[in-house]
Amino acid sequence: MSILLTPEKPFAQGGNRLCFIHPGDASRCIKVRRPDFTLADRRRKKGFPKNLKPLSSFDDNLEEMRVMTALRKQYGELVFRHVSRCFGFVETDMGPGLVSELIRDANGAISQTLKKVIWDEGLTEECRGAVEALAVFWEKNLVPSRHLLLHNIVVQRDDQGRIRRLVVIDGLGSAGLVPMRLLPTVFQRKKIQKKVAVMHGRIETLLGQRHQDRFPGYHGLLMHDGLSTR
Ligand SMILES: Nc1ncnc2c1ncn2[C@@H]1O[C@H](COP(=O)(O)OP(=O)(O)OP(=O)(O)O)[C@@H](O)[C@H]1O
Ligand SMILES: [Mg+2]
């Protein structure tokens, strides 16, 4: 039976997907394609030669499922310290939906993105430590990811409001043609160090934007906290 998402209010939207709390399980979320930005729209936007690739290669949900299965095989449980779990596809009234672990704080609220936290508080000592822990984990385990964007990382807090961990919820896998694990380790490490350096660069850029009166862009803001409304 198809899960009805149309009556629900999404808690967030990215450039490609709408995110809903799973109506049958509040500890999970369902991600569907944005109806206003189809796979065909996405392919068209890419231009030549990328627009020659098959439509399915533009589907983030398929790609995420593929990468998550590979990661679990390669790393086992360890990887889920800093990566959200993935539970496969369900049928919804908005098309196929990918079910993932919904990252919530100890008080039940959906965890905020790193972008929002740094925008609100600057880079506190605590946050700097959490970013460092993620960077060390990424480099040590050579987790393949595209750019570590600040709106694709969420900050999970404990019951004291302290940062428990950072969790990457999107952007896994490698953008290159050759799967990363097939490359020599030195090369993999170099690539990952570059991703981490870009993440630090993005943090600096965001810190430099904090004098502006408006949050830059809509990526990384929640539409509700998952407690008061649905
Ligand atoms: N598992 C999760 N737990 C908590 N929040 C999440 C989770 N997945 C997504 N979110 C929230 O929803 C937003 C959008 O989700 P997601 O990044 O998966 O969409 P997208 O359209 O693929 O993004 P992009 O614009 O990076 O392509 C995130 O920035 C985050 O705030
Ligand atoms: Mg995203």
Side-chain angles (χ1 to χ4, degrees), residues 11 17-22 25-32 60-61 64-65 68 80 83-90 97-104 167-170:
F11 68 87
R17 300 184 286 187
L18 278 180
C19 307
F20 293 88
I21 299 176
H22 193 309
D25 183 349
S27 70
R28 296 183 178 191
C29 60
I30 306 184
K31 300 186 187 186
V32 292
D60 282 332
N61 271 352
E64 189 167 311
M65 182 65 197
M68 295 302 293
F80 299 115
V83 172
S84 56
R85 288 166 193 278
C86 182
F87 302 104
F89 284 92
V90 289
L98 186 65
V99 181
S100 343
E101 172 190 15
L102 177 56
I103 308 297
R104 292 183 184 259
V167 185
V168 177
I169 51 86
D170 181 28

Side-chain angles (χ1 to χ4, degrees), residues 72 144 193 200 230:
R72 180 194 283 271
Q193 281 166 348
H200 285 302
R230 263 215 156 164

Side-chain angles (χ1 to χ4, degrees), residues 79-218:
V79 75
F80 299 115
R81 163 114 194 106
H82 289 291
V83 172
S84 56
R85 288 166 193 278
C86 182
F87 302 104
F89 284 92
V90 289
E91 203 188 296
T92 82
D93 61 343
M94 298 182 75
L98 186 65
V99 181
S100 343
E101 172 190 15
L102 177 56
I103 308 297
R104 292 183 184 259
D105 295 344
N107 68 6
I110 297 171
S111 298
Q112 296 285 352
T113 61
L114 184 57
K115 182 173 171 185
K116 176 75 163 62
V117 169
I118 292 177
W119 173 261
D120 286 347
E121 303 173 6
L123 190 62
T124 59
E125 265 316 299
E126 189 192 22
C127 192
R128 192 189 296 277
V131 168
E132 207 35 51
L134 177 69
V136 167
F137 183 89
W138 232 238
E139 285 182 32
K140 180 163 172 251
N141 295 294
L142 302 175
V143 184
S145 62
R146 289 177 269 148
H147 281 310
L148 290 164
L149 304 177
L150 307 183
H151 61 266
N152 286 337
I153 302 173
V154 300
V155 180
Q156 189 182 42
R157 296 183 186 273
D158 66 15
D159 53 4
Q160 307 293 311
R162 286 179 307 233
I163 297 177
R164 181 186 285 162
R165 57 177 182 145
L166 302 189
V167 185
V168 177
I169 51 86
D170 181 28
L172 291 160
S174 44
L177 288 176
V178 183
M180 206 158 76
R181 67 194 150 69
L182 299 181
L183 299 172
T185 311
V186 242
F187 198 77
Q188 288 187 37
R189 182 152 295 122
K190 275 236 152 60
K191 274 192 117 167
I192 288 169
Q193 281 166 348
K194 207 167 150 205
K195 303 284 184 217
V196 168
V198 170
M199 173 178 71
H200 285 302
R202 293 201 180 240
I203 292 176
E204 288 310 313
T205 306
L206 181 61
L207 288 172
Q209 290 172 324
R210 285 188 74 226
H211 66 277
Q212 299 171 4
D213 31 305
R214 265 174 26 124
F215 186 78
Y218 68 90

Side-chain angles (χ1 to χ4, degrees), residues 21-80:
I21 299 176
H22 193 309
D25 183 349
S27 70
R28 296 183 178 191
C29 60
I30 306 184
K31 300 186 187 186
V32 292
R33 273 215 70 76
R34 277 173 49 180
D36 58 333
F37 189 55
T38 63
L39 284 182
D41 292 336
R42 190 175 189 199
R43 178 162 70 179
R44 220 170 291 126
K45 217 178 142 190
K46 284 287 177 197
F48 187 80
K50 280 201 171 161
N51 58 7
L52 297 179
K53 298 207 308 189
L55 212 53
S56 61
S57 70
F58 295 89
D59 188 336
D60 282 332
N61 271 352
L62 271 183
E63 166 71 1
E64 189 167 311
M65 182 65 197
R66 194 185 59 73
V67 171
M68 295 302 293
T69 311
L71 282 181
R72 180 194 283 271
K73 239 194 201 150
Q74 193 180 348
Y75 301 95
E77 279 302 294
L78 172 86
V79 75
F80 299 115

